[in-house]
């Protein structure tokens, strides 16, 4: 299951056009794919996404918890409904999906939560809800890894992307990204999406069979500064 961006199953209220394009690519390359657009922040929605995967393929080997949203409102002006929506999608949605998958996954399965550097540091933006939700994802990852590796043989890890050129960075104020890259990122550049994907593939693969409960920064060294 790759929620939000597409894959064997896509869900979580993301861009349906992008998800459909990813599914088309999978099929063109000889794979099988289905989509589901339930809301991961809803307990029943998450169950429906997982059930779609099981009905289509009979098993579930990898979950990438990639559904996420954010706000950039000053903390004194953040609306309760906005804060709640971010936490419900980013943190609770990750748990509902992991919980549903954990009930059907077999030993050797892998869950990869998409966190953020903002779960561990700040970046000069007012993002209390987003930062809190991603810090929660780190704690969730650690606890599920401890619970499920010994009992179920399921590995649970997280990656913490830094600055990547996405729709989110398109919304930054002019000059912000360039300043952050110069001051905070030893690599001196934004990440390529393929570099983030490579980290996910590694954690999902047998090459990471002895790795669980870790937060892997993919940030060009930002967390070292």
């Amino acid at each position: 299951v790759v929620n939000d961006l597409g894959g064997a199953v896509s869900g979580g209220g993301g861009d349906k056009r992008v998800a459909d394009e990813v599914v088309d690519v999978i099929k063109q390359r000889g794979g099988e794919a289905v989509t589901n657009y339930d809301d991961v922040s809803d307990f029943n929605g998450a169950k429906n996404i997982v059930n779609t995967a099981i009905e289509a393929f009979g098993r579930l080997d990898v979950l990438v918890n990639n559904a996420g949203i954010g706000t950039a409102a000053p903390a004194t002006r953040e609306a309760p409904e906005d804060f709640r929506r971010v936490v419900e999608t980013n943190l609770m949605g990750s748990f509902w999906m992991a919980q549903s998958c954990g009930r059907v996954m077999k030993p050797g399965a892998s869950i990869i939560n998409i966190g953020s550097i903002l779960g561990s540091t700040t970046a000069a933006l007012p993002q209390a809800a987003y930062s809190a939700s991603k810090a929660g994802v780190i704690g969730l990852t650690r606890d599920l890894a401890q619970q499920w590796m010994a009992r179920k043989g399921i590995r649970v890890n997280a990656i913490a992307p830094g600055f990547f050129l996405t729709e989110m960075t398109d919304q930054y104020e002019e000059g912000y990204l360039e300043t952050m890259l110069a001051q905070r990122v030893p690599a001196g550049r934004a990440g390529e999406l393929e570099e983030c994907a490579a980290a996910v593939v590694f954690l999902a693969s047998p090459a990471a069979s002895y790795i669980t409960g870790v937060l892997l920064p993919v940030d060009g060294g930002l967390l070292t500064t």
Side-chain angles (χ1 to χ4, degrees), residues 23-97:
V23 168
D24 287 342
V25 169
I26 293 172
K27 291 181 177 179
Q28 290 169 10
R29 296 181 179 179
E32 298 181 19
V34 295
T35 54
N36 180 301
Y37 297 109
D38 276 288
D39 183 357
V40 299
S41 69
D42 176 74
F43 171 73
N44 290 316
K47 286 202 303 181
N48 290 339
I49 294 171
V50 173
N51 288 340
T52 298
I54 295 298
E55 291 170 4
F57 306 111
R59 58 184 294 170
L60 206 164
D61 299 314
V62 178
L63 165 66
V64 180
N65 259 325
N66 194 47
I69 59 175
T71 60
T76 54
R77 298 203 298 270
E78 180 122 42
E81 59 272 19
D82 291 338
F83 191 97
R84 184 177 294 110
R85 184 168 59 92
V86 171
V87 173
E88 287 179 348
T89 300
N90 298 357
L91 177 56
M92 295 176 68
S94 293
F95 179 64
W96 300 143
M97 287 297 303

Side-chain angles (χ1 to χ4, degrees), residues 5-221:
L5 290 186
V9 175
S10 174
D15 189 328
K16 295 181 180 181
R17 177 188 57 80
V18 173
D20 289 339
E21 288 176 356
V22 172
V23 168
D24 287 342
V25 169
I26 293 172
K27 291 181 177 179
Q28 290 169 10
R29 296 181 179 179
E32 298 181 19
V34 295
T35 54
N36 180 301
Y37 297 109
D38 276 288
D39 183 357
V40 299
S41 69
D42 176 74
F43 171 73
N44 290 316
K47 286 202 303 181
N48 290 339
I49 294 171
V50 173
N51 288 340
T52 298
I54 295 298
E55 291 170 4
F57 306 111
R59 58 184 294 170
L60 206 164
D61 299 314
V62 178
L63 165 66
V64 180
N65 259 325
N66 194 47
I69 59 175
T71 60
T76 54
R77 298 203 298 270
E78 180 122 42
E81 59 272 19
D82 291 338
F83 191 97
R84 184 177 294 110
R85 184 168 59 92
V86 171
V87 173
E88 287 179 348
T89 300
N90 298 357
L91 177 56
M92 295 176 68
S94 293
F95 179 64
W96 300 143
M97 287 297 303
Q99 183 186 62
S100 294
C101 289
R103 288 169 172 163
V104 298
M105 281 178 159
K106 304 298 183 183
S110 176
I111 295 174
I112 301 103
N113 294 321
I114 306 301
S116 170
I117 56 167
L118 294 183
S120 303
T121 187
T122 59
L125 286 175
Q127 292 185 305
Y130 186 81
S131 296
S133 69
K134 293 302 184 178
V137 167
I138 296 172
L140 176 67
T141 299
R142 183 171 54 243
D143 189 83
L144 294 182
Q146 187 276 330
Q147 289 193 50
W148 289 352
M149 184 60 176
R151 289 177 49 215
K152 295 176 174 289
I154 299 172
R155 294 182 297 107
V156 187
N157 293 291
I159 68 169
F163 291 109
F164 286 80
L165 300 180
T166 65
E167 292 179 1
M168 183 175 292
T169 56
D170 289 342
Q171 300 173 22
Y172 289 161
E173 294 182 2
E174 184 176 352
Y176 168 81
L177 182 59
E178 291 76 12
T179 299
M180 286 294 104
L181 293 176
Q183 296 181 353
R184 298 284 302 276
V185 181
R189 63 173 177 85
E192 300 287 342
L193 294 179
E194 291 80 4
E195 293 171 316
C196 190
V200 173
V201 171
F202 166 66
L203 290 175
S205 75
S209 59
Y210 201 57
I211 299 174
T212 193
V214 306
L215 175 70
L216 174 61
V218 186
D219 64 354

